[in-house]
Amino acid sequence: LGHCGGTTADIADAIVWASGGSVPGVPANQNPAEIINMSLGGFGVCEADSAYGQAIASARQRGTTVIVAAGNSNSDASSFTPASCPGVINVAATGISGARAVYSNFGANIALSAPGGGVYPNDATSGPTARTGFVWSAGNRGLTTPGESAYVGQAGTSMAAPHVAGVAALVISAAMQAGRPVPTPQEMREILTQTSRDFPVRPLRQIGVGILDAAKAAARG
C-alpha cells in the first residue's frame, strides 16, 4: 500500500514479492521476509482461490509466516479478509484488563489474542475515552509531509497483530542462535498458541487460545 492506498492486486503482489516470489516487472527481492504482518482488512470471505488466498498460500510455501489483524467490527472474523484467509495467524485484541477489546472481531478462526488497546476505562463497553488504555508508539504529526515526531496512542487489532509478528521474530532469532532451523509457518503457529497465557478475564466470544506470551514463545524458539 502506498500513501494513496492500493488495490487487492497490489497487496497480493506485495505478499508474493515480500516472501521471495516473482512479480512481473519488479526486481527480485534479495531479502525475502520470514514474517509478514497485515494490519489491514475489509469485509468479505477469503476463498483459497482468491488473489489473497493464492498469494498467502504461495508465501507459506516459501516458508513465510503471515500474521493478520482480525478486524475491529465486533463481528465474526470469518466474514473479513485477510482474517479469513486459509493459513494465516489471525489475531484478536485484548484491552488493558486482558478482556476482549470491545471492538475486536472474534470467531473460531482466531488463533490467539494480543494487546490491542482499550477504548473505555477498564475495558468497559462504553464511557469516556480512556487514553491510558491505548497502545502508544512512535509516530509523526505530519499529514502530507513529515512533521513533528510524537507518541501516538491507538487501539485496534492493527496494534495486536504486530505484537504477534514481533514475537514471531524473537522466536526465529532464538531458534537461529540455538542452531535450530527457522520454524515453518505451521510450527510458528503452534509455538505462539501453545505458549500463550490464559485469559485473566473469561472471554464471552472466541478470541483464540490465550494471550501472546513473548518470553515463553521465545524460550520455545
Side-chain angles (χ1 to χ4, degrees):
L1 293 174
H3 66 281
C4 293
T7 67
T8 296
D10 293 329
I11 299 169
D13 282 349
I15 295 168
V16 172
W17 183 86
S19 61
S22 177
V23 176
V26 181
N29 181 359
Q30 300 300 318
N31 299 286
E34 292 165 331
I35 303 162
I36 291 176
N37 180 80
M38 299 180 69
S39 286
L40 55 87
F43 189 76
V45 177
C46 179
E47 303 290 350
D49 61 353
S50 67
Y52 272 126
Q54 292 184 54
I56 290 169
S58 72
R60 283 172 46 82
Q61 289 171 359
R62 286 185 284 274
T64 301
T65 296
V66 181
I67 296 166
V68 306
N72 305 324
S73 299
N74 188 27
S75 301
D76 196 308
S78 64
S79 297
F80 292 80
T81 295
S84 61
C85 291
V88 300
I89 296 177
N90 191 15
V91 183
T94 52
I96 196 167
S97 71
R100 180 178 74 92
V102 63
Y103 53 79
S104 179
N105 282 356
F106 49 82
N109 68 345
I110 305 288
L112 76 167
S113 293
V119 178
Y120 306 115
N122 201 35
D123 292 328
T125 56
S126 62
T129 301
R131 290 168 58 84
T132 55
F134 291 170
V135 174
W136 291 84
S137 57
N140 192 283
R141 297 190 188 280
L143 299 179
T144 59
T145 60
E148 179 188 4
S149 296
Y151 284 107
V152 178
Q154 297 176 298
T157 56
S158 287
M159 283 78 250
H163 278 94
V164 177
V167 171
L170 293 178
V171 170
I172 289 175
S173 178
M176 294 177 67
Q177 288 181 12
R180 293 191 291 270
V182 171
T184 66
Q186 181 58 37
E187 289 169 342
M188 182 66 75
R189 182 187 186 93
E190 293 169 357
I191 290 169
L192 294 172
T193 55
Q194 291 173 7
T195 59
S196 64
R197 64 180 62 184
D198 293 337
F199 293 107
V201 180
R202 182 176 178 271
L204 300 179
R205 300 281 193 176
Q206 289 179 288
I207 52 172
V209 297
I211 298 176
L212 177 74
D213 190 312
K216 288 182 180 180
R220 276 277 300 275

